[in-house]
Amino acid sequence: MRMVQMTLDDELVEAVDKVVEDLKTTRSSFTRNALREALERYHALRLEEQHRRGYERHPVAKDEFSVWEKEQDWGDE
């Protein structure tokens, strides 16, 4: 592992300290988990953006999913 020095607002450190006490963990562990979650959200947002741009370039055809509509109606019989 690598040690990284960070500058944080006093209020943020105090809030984190309260949470880590409740969770019975450390600032470092809490921060690692928070950064991992932030990276996961970032990557998910990037993928969503890629999908959005893809659909803008190649919009869904009017009947592209019509074959699945029949599959969805199976409970109406």
Side-chain angles (χ1 to χ4, degrees):
M1 249 186 245
R2 187 176 188 181
M3 185 179 292
V4 178
Q5 185 174 351
M6 298 173 61
T7 303
L8 303 171
D9 296 329
D10 290 337
E11 298 84 19
L12 181 57
V13 174
E14 289 172 17
V16 168
D17 285 346
K18 288 178 185 176
V19 172
V20 299
E21 185 177 338
D22 282 349
L23 295 175
K24 301 198 182 350
T25 188
T26 64
R27 279 185 196 159
S28 293
S29 177
F30 181 82
T31 303
R32 280 192 298 272
N33 290 335
L35 289 171
R36 284 185 189 110
E37 290 176 14
L39 288 170
E40 287 174 13
R41 283 193 312 272
Y42 170 79
H43 290 298
L45 289 172
R46 295 283 303 215
L47 286 174
E48 289 172 7
E49 178 64 20
Q50 286 178 344
H51 287 141
R52 185 187 63 74
R53 285 194 314 263
Y55 279 111
E56 284 175 352
R57 285 192 304 270
H58 306 285
V60 175
K62 189 173 185 175
D63 62 348
E64 185 171 349
F65 296 108
S66 61
V67 68
W68 295 108
E69 289 175 5
K70 293 176 188 171
E71 296 293 326
Q72 297 298 316
D73 293 334
W74 68 272
D76 295 339
E77 294 177 17

